[in-house]
Amino acid sequence: MNFDYSDEQKMLKEEARRFLGARCDTAVVRGVLDDDDRHHDDALWRAIAAQGWLGAAIPEAYGGLGLGHVELCALAEELGRALAPVPFASTVYFVAEALMLLGSEEQKTRWLPKIAAGEVIGAFATSEGPGAVAPGRIATRVADGRLSGTKIPVTDGQIADLLVVLADDGLYLVEGPVAAEPLATLDPTRAAARIVFDSVPAERLGDEDGFAAMQAVFDRAAVLLAFEQLGGADRALEMAKDYALQRHAFGRAIGGYQAIKHKLADIYVKNEIARSNAYYGAWALGSGAAELPLAAATARVAASEAYWFAAKENIQTHGGIGFTWEADPQLHYRRSRQLALVAGAPAVWRERLVAQLERRNAA
Amino acid sequence: MDFNDTADEAEYRARARDWLAANVAAHKAIDHGDDMAAARAWQARKAAAGYAQITWPKEWGGGGGTPIQSVIFGQEEARHPVQYGYFTIGLGMCIPTVMAFADDATKQRFVGPALRGEEIWSQLFSEPAGGSDVAAIRTRAVRDGDDWVVNGQKVWTSGAHYSDFGIVLVRTNPDVPKHKGLTMFWLDLRAPGVEIRPIHQMSGGSNFNEVYFTDVRIPDSQRLGAVDAGWKVALVTLMNERLAVGGGGGAGPKEILKLAREVDGADGGKLLHDPAFRQKLADWWVQAEGLRNTRMRTITALSRGQTPGPESSIGKIIAANQLQDIGNSAVEAEDQYGIIADPALAPLRGLFQSATLNAPGLRIAGGTDEILKNIIAERVLGLPGEIRTDKDAAFRDLPA
């Protein structure tokens, strides 16, 4: 038993922090936020690809580094901390994971090396409207190898070269670029689009029923997203703490008042719970454990709650300045919404968690 | 990260499992009389096999094992009905303090009997005027020849009514600031002048006591650490406390899940099918798992030779609050019937009613929620301490 990163994994994580510290300060994030025509930071994306991170968990046989999923979790934590405005999650946590989990040998050979090399941006298209994605409610259809339907929102849809699309009977690969209409979202530092597929060529991905296949991909993405959320939540706590030490009111640093101290202690407690559950999720993902669906749901609910709480209370700790466009707390507030919704909202995951508990107790 | 046993760990677990299977059966086959006698017998059995304090060195009767082995044995022991709480404070807090500060003869005299469950120890720190503010201690010790004469009162002393010995923190110098005039001693709780009165708790039980000292003579040879250096000694004891206090016991997500399968919810179906209940159940599970996995991270730190810091404070905050929330949610889920606490009538033998009544104590004992949050804010996050008017003033000048 060992419940921590290994020394090598810690080194990788420190290296990633240094790299992102130099390449992805909040000015880079704001570059995307303030420019409606930019959907990601291409220079950062290329630099990340050059590091080999896109292929961290992709086997060497498919052009990756073959490090493993715990290493990918360590990178995710740093990307989340830095608010990296790049299509990393869409490409790696969703599309590459879907290919590795469900793809045929031919599909894997064709796409994974390109993903690892940074030549292909991916997008995972499931939602069709307000409310939870559920079996029997998917209108997208495939007939004679051609897919039709509307997906909204599709994260990174307008920059994707390869889309994995949920149809009523299964997941399908659709090659981009596709006509996509950019959307105004809560987090403009991440791209999102509405896509109308009108009889586009589509190739089946895996044999599983569509909803089950989507869930299997979501389970894997949920663990990786939990690490991004954890990284963001840690950073939001740091920002709140730094500000509380520096800001004086009524003759002393506001961090000396219990109202602020207890608030930050509450954030810390939630972050530690999220960290411990994320670690368990990383183990389940990396070792292929049967507990993955329950561990993933546990990690996701904890991380979504922690990041939301840290992000909103970071603004509160900053007071009026925290509500301005120029101050950085809004970046985490926005990203916490994007990450909490992208693979299904917390309420959906809580329901999924209890369903897993019922199944486990029945067995 | 690896949540599976290594080969060595699996072997250790298998041995522990076999030992427990054989010894629990043998233990249960004997009529011990009362619960305390059974507890002592089980403790002696574990001590003989090196399972009483697994991480202690063998020369002191321990198992010479690792923190992970201790966790493994704890997991396996928890599957059996041999949970006795009488020795936790003594072995978790008092004896480690004795081992750190007493002379060799004292250690030789006391460590073994405590380990075997023959003698039970209490910790006497809190006072009527000093709960969260432990250093506000007023119990006074005055030097008289080779002895100290002690007068005053302690309170919230867990288990004093069945304990043999204790470690006690007293004021030896009221003319210096309060942290600088305290001294620690060990004492015989049956010494003349010691009077123990159980406190009747709101939950109905009596786990805590008031302990009165009237001209109690404690030989100077029973001092732990230097005169007026008791605060440093107490910090060693308290550091062990938060590890020892730990979990809430009993009413957790699994227990309320069991209830939810059986009782009807507001919409006519079973409670387990009520979406609002399911959302709450998920959050309880997330917290309980988070706590379990956080403990495992602490163990990993221990096994790498790191000292667990104040971050382990989060365990008690979460466990106590969750116990209160689950207890009350279950009571409310039982609807009108939930008011019934009689174990013969209430679901799960009144587990949730009992949790509801006990939880307020858990949120206070061993550091209140509020003090623990101060500790996290100050020692983990580095935020400023409270404004204090007492730090540099002589203790005798402080308002009482």
Side-chain angles (χ1 to χ4, degrees):
Chain A
M1 288 186 274
N2 163 34
F3 311 94
D4 197 0
Y5 289 120
S6 68
D7 288 344
E8 291 77 14
Q9 287 158 352
K10 281 182 185 163
M11 270 172 57
L12 174 71
K13 197 164 169 292
E14 279 161 26
E15 196 185 298
R17 182 169 299 194
R18 272 197 301 276
F19 176 86
L20 289 167
R23 304 258 184 165
C24 184
D25 60 15
T26 52
V28 170
V29 184
R30 286 178 171 277
V32 177
L33 177 71
D34 289 333
D35 184 343
D36 290 345
D37 294 329
R38 289 179 64 203
H39 304 296
H40 73 295
D41 190 287
D42 194 52
L44 177 62
W45 179 244
R46 286 175 198 285
I48 284 173
Q51 291 290 303
W53 293 359
L54 300 173
I58 295 175
E60 286 175 281
Y62 300 107
L65 297 179
L67 291 173
H69 280 92
V70 179
E71 283 77 2
L72 185 55
C73 288
L75 294 173
E77 200 178 329
E78 294 307 319
L79 288 161
R81 179 186 168 85
L83 294 155
V86 290
F88 194 90
S90 302
T91 306
V92 178
Y93 313 159
F94 290 95
V95 173
E97 288 298 322
L99 282 163
M100 288 194 282
L101 186 68
L102 305 164
S104 66
E105 191 54 38
E106 190 275 330
Q107 288 167 331
K108 288 196 268 193
T109 309
R110 181 157 165 227
W111 292 110
L112 289 174
K114 287 187 176 146
I115 288 176
E119 293 162 13
V120 162
I121 289 174
F124 196 65
T126 55
S127 172
E128 299 185 350
V133 179
R137 287 192 221 152
I138 307 300
T140 300
R141 299 276 187 278
V142 176
D144 302 326
R146 295 179 107 54
L147 181 142
S148 297
T150 299
K151 292 293 180 185
I152 175 169
V154 182
T155 303
D156 299 312
Q158 62 269 58
I159 53 174
D161 305 294
L162 175 66
L163 296 101
V164 174
V165 184
L166 175 67
D168 67 331
D169 65 335
L171 291 176
Y172 288 84
L173 288 173
V174 173
E175 281 190 53
V178 290
E181 176 199 335
L183 299 169
T185 70
L186 287 175
D187 183 13
T189 67
R190 297 288 289 107
R194 167 192 164 103
I195 300 179
V196 180
F197 297 96
D198 183 10
S199 199
V200 299
E203 185 181 305
R204 182 78 190 226
L205 178 65
D207 312 320
E208 287 82 352
D209 135 69
F211 192 71
M214 178 194 78
Q215 270 306 350
V217 176
F218 273 4
D219 283 343
R220 307 177 78 77
V223 173
L224 296 157
L225 290 168
F227 277 89
E228 284 210 9
Q229 292 168 309
L230 176 62
D234 277 343
R235 180 62 195 135
L237 172 57
E238 263 176 40
M239 289 169 71
K241 182 193 72 178
D242 290 348
Y243 188 78
L245 284 170
Q246 164 216 319
R247 171 74 178 176
H248 283 63
F250 307 107
R252 59 188 172 120
I254 63 169
Y257 296 109
Q258 283 194 352
I260 299 294
K261 287 163 81 170
H262 288 192
K263 180 195 293 300
L264 300 198
D266 288 340
I267 300 175
Y268 175 82
V269 168
K270 285 183 194 290
N271 286 7
E272 290 309 299
I273 292 298
R275 187 181 329 280
S276 299
N277 285 327
Y279 281 15
Y280 189 71
W283 166 77
L285 176 61
S287 65
E291 293 95 323
L292 178 63
L294 181 56
T298 306
R300 178 147 179 85
V301 171
S304 297
E305 167 64 19
Y307 197 12
W308 168 240
F309 187 75
K312 77 186 173 84
E313 298 308 322
N314 182 29
I315 295 178
Q316 185 70 15
T317 303
H318 277 72
I321 198 76
F323 188 60
T324 62
W325 189 263
E326 290 73 21
D328 285 342
Q330 64 149 324
L331 301 176
H332 286 284
Y333 192 74
R334 291 175 179 280
R335 182 61 62 83
S336 83
R337 299 303 77 216
Q338 199 275 336
L339 289 171
L341 300 175
V342 68
V348 173
W349 282 92
R350 288 192 182 96
E351 174 51 42
R352 181 161 163 73
L353 189 160
V354 172
Q356 291 294 324
L357 281 183
E358 287 181 279
R359 190 168 311 169
R360 203 174 74 152
N361 271 45
Chain B
M1 275 164 226
D2 191 352
F3 285 68
N4 288 322
D5 287 346
T6 62
D8 285 351
E9 287 160 5
E11 193 196 314
Y12 184 87
R13 188 184 296 278
R15 261 187 289 134
R17 216 174 255 184
D18 290 348
W19 185 87
L20 282 162
N23 284 274
V24 170
H27 173 70
K28 290 286 172 187
I30 302 167
D31 178 8
H32 298 284
D34 59 10
D35 192 59
M36 173 63 84
R40 288 185 197 274
W42 179 244
Q43 187 67 19
R45 201 179 270 270
K46 284 203 293 182
Y51 286 130
Q53 288 294 106
I54 287 164
T55 57
W56 286 12
K58 283 190 173 164
E59 64 195 278
W60 290 109
T66 65
I68 301 265
Q69 289 176 343
S70 177
V71 169
I72 290 172
F73 185 82
Q75 288 170 343
E76 294 302 323
E77 189 184 24
R79 299 165 186 270
H80 299 279
V82 285
Q83 313 308 319
Y84 307 107
Y86 304 109
F87 315 110
T88 314
I89 289 173
L91 295 176
M93 300 166 68
C94 303
I95 298 295
T97 308
V98 168
M99 285 168 86
F101 294 98
D103 58 42
D104 238 36
T106 306
K107 289 192 265 188
Q108 293 292 352
R109 160 65 187 82
F110 288 111
V111 174
L115 192 79
R116 295 188 292 272
E118 293 158 11
E119 292 170 351
I120 300 180
W121 285 65
S122 280
Q123 179 247 76
L124 301 107
F125 289 8
S126 294
E127 295 193 2
S132 294
D133 184 8
V134 178
I137 280 168
R138 312 193 81 83
T139 296
R140 185 79 167 90
V142 178
R143 186 79 190 238
D144 180 24
D146 287 341
D147 292 346
W148 294 81
V149 179
V150 180
N151 283 284
Q153 185 201 340
K154 295 288 173 181
V155 74
W156 316 127
T157 314
S158 308
H161 53 305
Y162 53 68
S163 292
D164 305 286
F165 298 95
I167 56 173
V168 61
L169 192 59
V170 295
R171 182 153 310 278
T172 39
N173 186 351
D175 299 320
V176 290
K178 62 182 189 179
H179 290 86
K180 294 177 178 164
L182 299 171
T183 304
M184 186 82 80
F185 295 91
W186 66 263
L187 86 161
D188 184 340
L189 287 175
R190 297 197 183 83
V194 177
E195 187 195 346
I196 296 166
R197 297 185 199 160
I199 295 171
H200 195 189
Q201 297 150 204
M202 64 160 274
S203 56
S206 290
N207 306 104
F208 306 113
N209 301 271
E210 296 175 297
V211 181
Y212 292 85
F213 298 91
T214 309
D215 292 331
V216 176
R217 296 192 81 86
I218 301 180
D220 187 59
S221 60
Q222 294 181 202
R223 182 161 41 79
L224 298 170
V227 173
D228 294 344
W231 184 247
K232 279 186 190 148
V233 180
L235 289 180
V236 171
T237 315
L238 293 174
M239 197 180 73
N240 287 299
E241 176 171 31
R242 278 171 211 113
L243 287 174
V245 172
K254 284 176 186 159
E255 286 71 29
I256 201 169
L257 173 64
K258 194 172 174 199
L259 177 77
R261 287 181 191 284
E262 287 159 16
V263 309
D264 293 324
D267 68 347
K270 293 294 173 201
L271 178 63
L272 184 51
H273 301 120
D274 171 354
F277 174 80
R278 293 169 76 85
Q279 293 281 308
K280 287 208 295 188
L281 177 60
D283 283 333
W284 291 323
W285 176 263
V286 165
Q287 294 222 330
E289 277 292 282
L291 212 55
R292 184 177 73 94
N293 292 325
T294 299
R295 271 197 209 107
M296 294 303 164
R297 285 172 50 214
T298 304
I299 301 296
T300 296
L302 274 173
S303 66
R304 290 181 179 178
Q306 298 154 4
T307 316
E311 60 272 10
S312 48
S313 296
I314 73 168
K316 201 184 81 77
I317 296 180
I318 290 189
N321 282 277
Q322 171 144 311
L323 186 77
Q324 194 162 38
D325 192 23
I326 289 183
N328 184 55
S329 296
V331 165
E332 290 190 9
E334 292 170 18
D335 204 61
Q336 297 184 43
Y337 197 90
I339 199 73
I340 300 171
D342 184 345
L345 296 172
L348 279 82
R349 299 196 51 76
L351 179 71
F352 301 111
Q353 285 74 16
S354 157
T356 303
L357 286 179
N358 278 303
L362 274 171
R363 289 187 51 200
I364 295 164
T368 62
D369 288 358
E370 292 75 14
I371 288 293
L372 295 182
K373 285 183 187 181
N374 277 359
I375 289 173
I376 290 170
E378 291 170 23
R379 295 203 218 142
V380 180
L381 301 177
L383 293 171
E386 296 302 301
I387 286 186
R388 305 184 51 165
T389 55
D390 59 354
K391 224 167 176 174
D392 300 316
F395 178 76
R396 66 163 73 256
D397 297 332
L398 298 179

